Amino acid sequence: MRLHSLESRVVTLFIGLLLSVQLAAFFAIGNAIDRNARQAVEASLKINERVFEKVLDQNAQKFLQSVTVLGREYGFIQAIASKDVATIISTLSNHGDRIGSDLAILTELDGKISLSTNANLQDLRKGSLQQTVSALITAAEKTGSASGSAIVDGRPYQFLVAPVQAPVTIAWIVMGIPIGKNLVNEMRDQSYMQISLLTSDQAANWKTNVSTLSDEHAQKLAKLMPPASQQVKAMPLQIDEDQYSAHIIPLAHNAQYNTIAVLQLSISEAVAPYKELQRNLLILTVLGAIVASIISAITARRITGPVRQLAETARSLGAGDYTATIDVKQKDEIGDLARTFMTMRDGIAQREKEISRLAYWDTLTNLPNRALFTDMLEEAIASARSYEKSCFVLMMDLDRFKHVNDVMGHRFGDILLNQVAIRLSAELGTGGTKPARLGGDEFAILLPNSSKENALDLANRILRSLEKPISIEDQTVDLGAGIGIAGFPEHASDAQSLLSRVEVAMYAAKQGNSGAVIYSPDIDKSSQQSLSLLSELRAALEQQAFRLYVQPKVGLDHGQVIAVEALVRWIHPERGFIFPDQFIPFAEQTGFIRQLTHWVMNEAARVCHVWQQQGIHLKISVNISTRDLLDQDLPGKFAQILQNNEVQPASFCLEITESAIMDDPVRAFQTLDRLHAMGLELSIDDFGTGYSSLAYLKRLPVHELKIDKSFVLKMETDIDDTKIVKSTIDLGHNMGLRVVAEGVENLEVMQLLKELGCDQAQGYYISKPMPSADLPSWLLKWKEQHTQA
């Protein structure tokens, strides 16, 4: 075979393709092995974390039973009663030896350490161990026993707490078991991972307590650990030639020391078997290339002609040209191959055309999708950068689209999206840029070589266009939208950043009902703060950081307390006491108010049950937000809460603002009717500040009107406020409703309300909001004062 002959080139082509594919596969497999091994190691470490914690817990439970038995031994109880110190110390020491404890402590009921097998009793009382013991005893008082970890003399201990009962608790036993070699070896046997327990002092120097590694490797591990203040949970490690993935579990800490457990799995060991397989694959690839060279050299001479044409056609297909023809006359297998190749060419061309359409065009609206819009935006930014011009992007999200989808169905929603696309295209005109559908009910418009003023003008035109109702299948739909605006180079220098910032502006427009909003860094900062606040609210609900406060309502005709309003307060771990006006509006915007209302109702029902058992029968008012009223499952949720707490619906009154009703009157009326049918009373809160008409008011199944405090605060000095309050009282009584005035802050206002015929009063003059647990004692004081008066 000549070096430059067609046969040699065919052979070279086949061998080259084979080697390229095999080598690519070789490296791809290598990368996949490494990636999968690391993922498997990480997954295994996560499982082993839970196993480690379970082993700790099992150890605690195993020895805790033994400590509990000691707390019930008659002889030990007698020794404590007679203050026989020698017997107590001996018993504690002997029992500690049986369970592997080298630190046994007896405490008084208040948690103060009284005796210990450790001679340094005063040091124990002064050190952080006293605080740990007190905390564990507090936990044990609730559950009967407790366990936890702490550091004593630079060593980690697992502490077990159980009561000494005779039959009531007269003291507490605390056993400290060193966390050491036995635990590490047990974990090593179960998981094949390396485990090390490290302790650092105030100078952040880590020292190894115990480890399954060699001494040399354990010392190197200690030097690689970051300072305890960084609180790293996972990290890669390189010890000599071995690569590890490590997870770090905090065990205990005090003012002087920190102890952690380091769980390691070797990535090198996990990859080793697959690397051998990869080497074998490389050998097979080389052998296959040699065999293929021989076979291809033999067959190339017979197929050079037709294959030349096929090769040329293949090159054309690779370049995206699907018009090349194949002129092969043979009727043998080569001819069949050529004809099949032509069929394949036509099929590929058709499929590629369809793939391109699916990849870059929205199938519902036939508008560019997010991928195509991003490409268009990148081209527009490149052009604007070259000519030192600007371009802008509008991003739009429809209002109430989800509600339309839920009520009318997805088919109706698809038709609606098509109508919006048509309306947007008409607004842009035939010569303008087409809108793009990014997904769901989000649309975007690219304005190359445009200005901020032009972008804002177009956004306002679109908003005015959407104000016109859309008619679909005899249904008229009113839609609004929030539009964000951002541009290059003013707001971002690349396509992804620009899309991110225009989306931030769009969400700001929707949250503020602002129509169109131009991006600014302040909005981005606010979005980040909002995200942080939402996370803190969710954490507060999980960590029981909310508190139920109540404010009494007094009947003006007899001066007796007849009801309370339930209020929520937030005890933040860093910012302390947080009032509702600092988080309730945000909770309403984000929808978190639903979980918060559920918590308030459940807590109020629990407190109501407790009060009733104490002979206190007061109606409790709970505030309901707009989002609560739109929740069609709200009556069912409240019914379940009342049933769980064994209280009657008549014990509760739900307060609703006028604006909450007016946001969606139809759904609000449906929810209120179902709540009324359950037996819950309903109240219109802040009456006079909303926009509801009497036509709506008379249709509502309400029992009470609350006059907003803005009219009550200064009514003794402002005749206009007095007239408004008087008119509201007369209106409520004429409609058969009781009237409550809030914001009563002095005796003059309270007397004036009584003269005007108001039924109930609420305000700081009567009482500030108080923790629900304080109400019974406050009621006694109020009754005494009222009786004396």
Side-chain angles (χ1 to χ4, degrees):
M1 187 182 301
R2 297 190 307 274
L3 182 60
H4 298 292
S5 66
L6 177 60
E7 290 87 348
S8 66
R9 291 198 297 272
V10 170
V11 172
T12 302
L13 174 64
F14 277 108
I15 299 305
L17 287 173
L18 176 63
L19 289 176
S20 298
V21 171
Q22 293 295 336
L23 288 174
F26 176 80
F27 289 112
I29 290 172
N31 291 333
I33 288 173
D34 185 73
R35 183 175 62 253
N36 291 337
R38 291 179 184 275
Q39 292 175 350
V41 166
E42 283 298 317
S44 181
L45 279 174
K46 290 180 180 178
I47 294 173
N48 286 326
E49 277 191 46
R50 295 192 289 271
V51 173
F52 181 79
E53 293 169 354
K54 186 176 181 181
V55 169
L56 279 177
D57 185 62
Q58 287 175 345
N59 279 350
Q61 295 303 319
K62 178 174 66 177
F63 296 125
L64 192 57
Q65 184 176 3
S66 178
V67 178
T68 303
V69 171
L70 173 60
R72 296 173 181 173
E73 286 186 2
Y74 178 78
F76 186 61
I77 295 172
Q78 286 294 103
I80 294 174
S82 61
K83 299 184 179 180
D84 186 351
V85 174
T87 302
I88 295 172
I89 295 295
S90 175
T91 304
L92 289 175
S93 179
N94 292 336
H95 201 84
D97 291 341
R98 286 198 295 272
I99 66 174
S101 168
D102 61 9
L103 179 59
I105 296 169
L106 184 71
T107 77
E108 299 173 7
L109 286 177
D110 61 359
K112 183 179 179 181
I113 297 174
S114 58
L115 293 174
S116 169
T117 57
N118 189 312
N120 299 321
L121 182 59
Q122 293 302 321
D123 293 342
L124 293 179
R125 289 174 176 171
K126 295 177 181 179
S128 61
L129 179 60
Q130 176 65 68
Q131 298 176 357
T132 301
V133 168
S134 298
L136 287 173
I137 289 175
T138 299
E141 287 174 345
K142 300 177 182 178
T143 60
S145 59
S147 62
S149 300
I151 302 173
V152 180
D153 295 333
R155 298 174 59 197
Y157 278 76
Q158 191 170 27
F159 281 94
L160 314 171
V161 177
V164 178
Q165 295 179 324
V168 298
T169 301
I170 62 172
W172 294 92
I173 304 171
V174 182
M175 291 285 183
I177 302 174
I179 302 176
K181 198 69 176 180
N182 293 337
L183 175 67
V184 166
N185 289 337
E186 182 180 353
M187 281 295 300
R188 174 67 173 167
D189 294 339
Q190 292 186 22
S191 61
Y192 302 102
M193 67 178 175
Q194 304 288 355
I195 308 169
S196 303
L197 303 184
L198 306 178
T199 298
S200 73
D201 54 24
Q202 290 180 333
N205 298 317
W206 290 102
K207 293 183 180 179
T208 305
N209 287 328
V210 64
S211 176
T212 57
L213 296 170
S214 65
D215 292 342
E216 179 185 357
H217 283 185
Q219 292 176 5
K220 292 181 179 180
L221 172 66
K223 293 179 180 179
L224 293 173
M225 286 294 99
S229 60
Q230 293 186 9
Q231 298 182 350
V232 176
K233 294 183 179 179
M235 62 182 292
L237 294 173
Q238 180 79 33
I239 302 178
D240 292 342
E241 300 299 324
D242 291 329
Q243 293 185 9
Y244 293 91
S245 182
H247 281 200
I248 301 172
I249 303 175
L251 285 183
H253 69 88
N254 58 29
Q256 294 179 314
Y257 299 100
N258 279 282
T259 296
I260 59 173
V262 182
L263 313 184
Q264 298 169 241
L265 277 178
S266 173
I267 297 175
S268 303
E269 292 179 4
V271 172
Y274 302 102
K275 291 295 184 182
E276 181 66 25
L277 179 62
Q278 192 180 17
R279 285 192 292 272
N280 293 338
L281 179 61
L282 182 60
I283 295 172
L284 290 175
T285 298
V286 174
L287 293 176
I290 295 172
V291 173
S293 299
I294 297 172
I295 296 175
S296 60
I298 295 173
T299 58
R301 299 177 184 274
R302 301 174 56 188
I303 59 175
T304 54
V307 168
R308 185 183 296 110
Q309 294 187 36
L310 295 178
E312 291 296 329
T313 304
R315 294 188 187 94
S316 299
L317 290 176
D321 180 12
Y322 299 102
T323 61
T325 59
I326 303 175
D327 187 16
V328 177
K329 305 296 185 183
Q330 291 97 321
K331 296 183 180 180
D332 56 8
E333 288 82 356
I334 298 296
D336 291 340
L337 177 61
R339 287 184 288 274
T340 302
F341 200 86
M342 287 188 289
T343 302
M344 181 185 70
R345 176 201 63 191
D346 297 338
I348 291 174
Q350 185 62 33
R351 284 193 294 275
E352 186 167 301
K353 183 177 179 182
E354 180 64 17
I355 289 171
S356 178
R357 187 185 71 83
L358 293 174
Y360 293 103
W361 295 87
D362 177 51
T363 56
L364 176 64
T365 61
N366 202 31
L367 295 178
N369 63 10
R370 182 181 289 272
L372 180 55
F373 184 80
T374 303
D375 291 345
M376 293 163 54
L377 178 57
E378 288 175 347
E379 292 178 5
I381 289 176
S383 175
R385 184 180 287 113
S386 299
Y387 294 100
E388 297 183 355
K389 294 185 177 182
S390 62
C391 66
F392 278 80
V393 173
L394 274 62
M395 187 177 290
M396 180 183 79
D397 187 270
L398 300 177
D399 295 335
R400 299 181 296 278
F401 178 75
K402 183 179 184 302
H403 175 64
V404 172
N405 245 1
D406 294 341
V407 175
M408 305 302 296
H410 290 283
R411 187 185 69 84
F412 189 93
D414 290 345
I415 298 174
L416 179 60
L417 289 175
N418 262 317
Q419 292 296 318
V420 171
I422 294 171
R423 188 166 291 188
L424 287 177
S425 299
E427 192 63 39
L428 290 173
T430 56
T433 303
K434 273 191 174 184
R437 183 187 176 214
L438 305 185
D441 58 339
E442 283 188 9
F443 293 84
I445 299 170
L446 173 61
L447 300 176
N449 300 326
S450 184
S451 65
K452 185 191 301 184
E453 291 73 18
N454 291 338
L456 186 58
D457 179 65
L458 177 60
N460 289 327
R461 294 206 316 267
I462 292 172
L463 290 172
R464 286 194 296 271
S465 173
L466 291 176
E467 289 176 357
K468 303 173 184 176
I470 298 176
S471 297
I472 302 174
E473 298 177 352
D474 298 328
Q475 296 286 340
T476 300
V477 180
D478 291 317
L479 281 180
I483 298 179
I485 303 171
F488 167 87
E490 180 177 352
H491 302 123
S493 58
D494 59 85
Q496 291 301 327
S497 298
L498 187 56
L499 286 174
S500 175
R501 287 168 184 173
V502 74
E503 188 172 18
V504 168
M506 178 189 71
Y507 285 130
K510 286 185 68 65
Q511 288 182 0
N513 293 321
S514 307
V517 170
I518 299 174
Y519 172 82
S520 72
D522 291 340
I523 298 175
D524 221 347
K525 183 178 180 181
S526 174
S527 299
Q528 294 171 3
Q529 292 173 343
S530 296
L531 183 61
S532 174
L533 181 57
L534 182 58
S535 300
E536 289 184 343
L537 283 171
R538 288 172 176 163
L541 193 60
E542 294 173 359
Q543 298 167 6
Q544 299 181 351
F546 293 113
R547 298 291 182 271
L548 185 73
Y549 274 53
V550 294
Q551 188 175 31
K553 298 180 183 179
V554 172
L556 289 173
D557 56 345
H558 49 64
Q560 297 298 318
V561 178
I562 56 178
V564 295
E565 180 178 0
L567 305 167
V568 64
R569 298 292 186 265
W570 181 8
I571 311 300
H572 194 279
E574 297 176 359
R575 290 182 281 169
F577 197 88
I578 301 179
F579 287 92
D581 57 357
Q582 295 177 272
F583 63 91
I584 291 295
F586 175 77
E588 291 177 342
Q589 291 177 7
T590 58
F592 183 79
I593 193 68
R594 289 187 178 182
Q595 292 103 299
L596 198 54
T597 300
H598 187 276
W599 181 90
V600 171
M601 186 65 182
N602 191 72
E603 187 68 10
R606 183 190 66 80
V607 169
C608 182
H609 179 73
V610 173
W611 288 345
Q612 288 177 358
Q613 289 180 326
Q614 298 174 356
I616 300 173
H617 299 278
L618 299 177
K619 190 178 292 292
I620 302 179
S621 295
V622 176
N623 290 282
I624 304 299
S625 72
T626 303
R627 288 184 179 266
D628 293 319
L629 281 181
L630 299 181
D631 182 4
Q632 298 297 296
D633 297 330
L634 184 68
K637 294 176 182 176
F638 279 6
Q640 188 63 49
I641 289 173
L642 297 175
Q643 180 180 349
N644 293 343
N645 290 278
E646 300 178 358
V647 293
Q648 296 300 315
S651 299
F652 283 86
C653 179
L654 305 181
E655 297 187 3
I656 307 103
T657 61
E658 295 175 81
S659 57
I661 300 170
M662 295 307 298
D663 281 353
D664 191 339
V666 175
R667 293 181 69 179
F669 288 160
Q670 292 174 351
T671 304
L672 292 174
D673 282 338
R674 292 172 60 193
L675 291 169
H676 173 71
M678 288 171 53
L680 293 162
E681 288 194 357
L682 303 175
S683 171
I684 301 297
D685 194 14
D686 298 338
F687 184 76
T689 61
Y691 303 97
S692 61
S693 66
L694 292 178
Y696 277 122
L697 184 60
K698 70 179 184 180
R699 292 171 51 195
L700 292 172
V702 297
H703 307 79
E704 176 183 280
L705 290 184
K706 288 191 73 176
I707 305 174
D708 185 65
K709 62 182 179 181
S710 61
F711 302 116
V712 178
L713 287 173
K714 300 179 180 179
M715 60 179 291
E716 81 276 18
T717 58
D718 190 326
I719 189 63
D720 291 331
D721 283 348
T722 303
K723 292 178 179 178
I724 293 173
V725 171
K726 172 62 176 173
S727 300
T728 305
I729 293 172
D730 292 341
L731 172 64
H733 288 166
N734 290 335
M735 297 183 69
L737 307 177
R738 68 173 175 269
V739 181
V740 180
E742 56 182 355
V744 178
E745 297 192 354
N746 56 59
L747 178 61
E748 291 77 8
V749 170
M750 192 165 177
Q751 292 291 351
L752 184 55
L753 287 168
K754 183 176 181 180
E755 294 172 5
L756 295 177
C758 187
D759 300 304
Q760 297 176 18
Q762 173 185 356
Y764 277 23
Y765 175 72
I766 299 168
S767 173
K768 293 182 179 181
M770 69 185 78
S772 58
D774 296 346
L775 183 71
S777 59
W778 180 90
L779 283 174
L780 291 176
K781 294 179 182 179
W782 175 267
K783 289 179 180 179
E784 292 175 0
Q785 294 172 0
H786 188 263
T787 302
Q788 294 172 359

